[in-house]
Amino acid sequence: MYHPRFTGTHYETGFKFGQILKKQYVDFNSIIKLNDYQLDFGVQSEKILSRVYPEVCSEVKGITDGLQYSYEKFSAWLLCMACCLKGCTAFCFNYKGQIVFGRNNDLPPELKKLSQSILYRPDSGYSFLGNTSSMVHLEEGMNEKGLVAAMTFVIPKFIKPGLNSVFIVRYVLEKCTNTEEAITAIKDIPVSSAGNVILADKSGNMAIVEFIPGKVNIRMPSTNEKFLAVANDFISNEMKEHNDNGPDIYSSHERYLTACSSLKNMNANDSINYAKGILSGKYGFMCQYKKETNCDTIWSSVFDLTNNKAYRAEGNPGKAEFKEDNRLQLIMSV
């Protein structure tokens, strides 16, 4: 897993990254394969992205200038992502006043080497630490205000030009200070596909934003419960009808039940180690994929919102050790 640090304007950040990729001889002509439908979908989505989030388009332009590659194809490729199959489990909880967030990112194992944990300190917008299996957009992260956001994929019944969930995660981390602000922001964003974004802030306010193009629903903790969990389905009665009801994505429902039962029955001296235990499969199925599924947890993250700390296992947490990422302290102390 790479650990870049980017500062400056969005364009400067992108150009620097593009030059790094060019020096590494990354051949995007062999990587980016879009048919006519995908290219048109991406181009139409970029028009929306440039209106909603022009700063990130400047970053993408910097990357393509550094690479000397087509901006149209590269941006279209980024905007077609997260409309494809992937697994993930995420949860957050308030236990004895400590706010903790955990997430596994489940993908084909070959993506592990390409993954990045990036520290962004932009000239405009909030600084944040984010993790991604791609670039520019993010699967999860925490910003300098103590807001954590993460996405999980849901099989879509249909898609429409707009922002995918990984761009939405990056957007709220860069522009929002708390859960309420993030919810308001997501409601105003044209989304391209089905998905969840789970949110938590330092005050303990947490929510899951379930969405499809044209519809958003907010899921809050149940009465007398101080946690939320999500995998790769819609759970609320308001959104269940929008589940595809196809194959259970990498045992999505079982992972969700493991997270919920573990958090309902939580009795721990150490909240952080308990969260690591859930993600590691200590309390039920979570990351114990069989080889033939071609799926594995390629990284696992725990954020301690109360104490401004981040921990990450770079690989399957059943085998890989969680280590603290001290870079978060650089932005949380500002």
Side-chain angles (χ1 to χ4, degrees):
M1 198 172 198
Y2 298 101
H3 307 92
R5 304 182 186 205
F6 293 129
T7 60
T9 68
H10 287 77
Y11 181 85
E12 289 168 346
T13 291
F15 190 78
K16 178 182 177 181
F17 193 23
Q19 287 187 313
I20 292 171
L21 294 170
K22 188 173 179 62
K23 288 179 181 178
Q24 293 177 342
Y25 301 103
V26 179
D27 181 12
F28 282 94
N29 287 313
S30 63
I31 295 173
I32 298 177
K33 302 291 185 182
L34 300 175
N35 59 34
D36 290 343
Y37 172 80
Q38 291 168 326
L39 179 60
D40 180 67
F41 179 87
V43 169
Q44 295 305 314
S45 295
E46 191 279 337
K47 293 178 181 178
I48 298 170
L49 182 68
S50 64
R51 184 182 76 246
V52 174
Y53 197 4
E55 302 94 331
V56 84
C57 291
S58 179
E59 184 173 322
V60 176
K61 184 64 168 61
I63 291 174
T64 55
D65 285 353
L67 282 170
Q68 297 179 317
Y69 188 81
S70 166
Y71 171 81
E72 180 182 77
K73 289 183 179 179
F74 196 88
S75 59
W77 174 62
L78 290 174
L79 284 154
C80 285
M81 293 183 186
C83 296
C84 59
L85 194 65
K86 65 183 297 181
C88 293
T89 313
F91 56 81
C92 51
F93 62 86
N94 181 340
Y95 187 69
K96 297 181 180 179
Q98 186 176 14
I99 316 303
V100 179
F101 188 103
R103 183 177 182 273
N104 279 351
N105 200 62
D106 305 339
L107 285 167
E110 58 267 23
L111 291 175
K112 179 181 176 182
K113 293 182 180 179
L114 302 175
S115 298
Q116 303 172 76
S117 180
I118 308 170
L119 181 69
Y120 278 101
R121 304 184 75 177
D123 280 2
S124 60
Y126 300 117
S127 297
F128 52 93
L129 179 68
N131 302 322
T132 179
S133 57
S134 178
M135 58 192 75
V136 183
H137 42 44
L138 303 172
E139 274 102 320
E140 80 213 15
M142 180 173 178
N143 72 12
E144 65 177 282
K145 299 298 182 180
L147 172 67
V148 176
M151 54 74 65
T152 69
F153 171 80
V154 177
I155 297 176
K157 288 187 176 181
F158 68 98
I159 60 175
K160 183 178 181 180
L163 275 65
N164 51 28
S165 56
V166 280
F167 269 118
I168 292 172
V169 168
R170 163 113 189 227
Y171 181 94
V172 300
L173 289 175
E174 189 167 336
K175 294 181 175 290
C176 301
T177 65
N178 56 44
T179 296
E180 285 301 321
E181 285 186 13
I183 291 171
T184 300
I186 296 171
K187 285 180 177 180
D188 290 336
I189 294 174
V191 302
S192 63
S193 186
N196 299 288
V197 170
I198 181 170
L199 304 159
D201 61 29
K202 292 176 72 67
S203 73
N205 192 11
M206 56 187 74
I208 293 172
V209 185
E210 304 174 316
F211 52 79
I212 61 171
K215 184 174 181 179
V216 174
N217 180 67
I218 310 303
R219 183 155 70 89
M220 308 296 287
S222 300
T223 304
N224 299 322
E225 291 182 346
K226 294 183 178 181
F227 71 86
L228 283 171
V230 66
N232 302 110
D233 300 285
F234 292 131
I235 300 300
S236 70
N237 291 329
E238 293 83 356
M239 294 293 283
K240 279 184 178 180
E241 65 179 294
H242 300 294
N243 285 323
D244 180 76
N245 296 321
D248 186 12
I249 306 175
Y250 306 131
S251 303
S252 170
H253 191 60
E254 187 174 2
R255 289 185 278 113
Y256 170 73
L257 291 178
T258 294
C260 288
S261 64
S262 302
L263 295 168
K264 283 180 180 179
N265 301 314
M266 185 173 177
N267 182 15
N269 294 322
D270 188 324
S271 297
I272 300 303
N273 282 337
Y274 194 83
K276 293 176 182 178
I278 296 173
L279 296 170
S280 302
K282 184 177 179 180
Y283 305 107
F285 182 84
M286 187 60 67
C287 61
Q288 303 95 318
Y289 294 107
K290 295 180 179 180
K291 189 174 182 180
E292 55 265 30
T293 63
N294 193 38
C295 178
D296 198 7
T297 300
I298 62 174
W299 80 72
S300 182
S301 297
V302 173
F303 294 96
D304 179 352
L305 284 71
T306 302
N307 297 299
N308 303 331
K309 293 186 176 183
Y311 305 87
R312 189 172 56 257
E314 298 186 1
N316 189 301
K319 303 174 183 177
E321 179 185 357
F322 279 91
K323 296 181 180 180
E324 185 175 353
D325 189 334
N326 293 311
R327 293 177 301 162
L328 191 63
Q329 302 301 318
L330 294 176
I331 63 173
M332 301 303 291
S333 60
V334 172

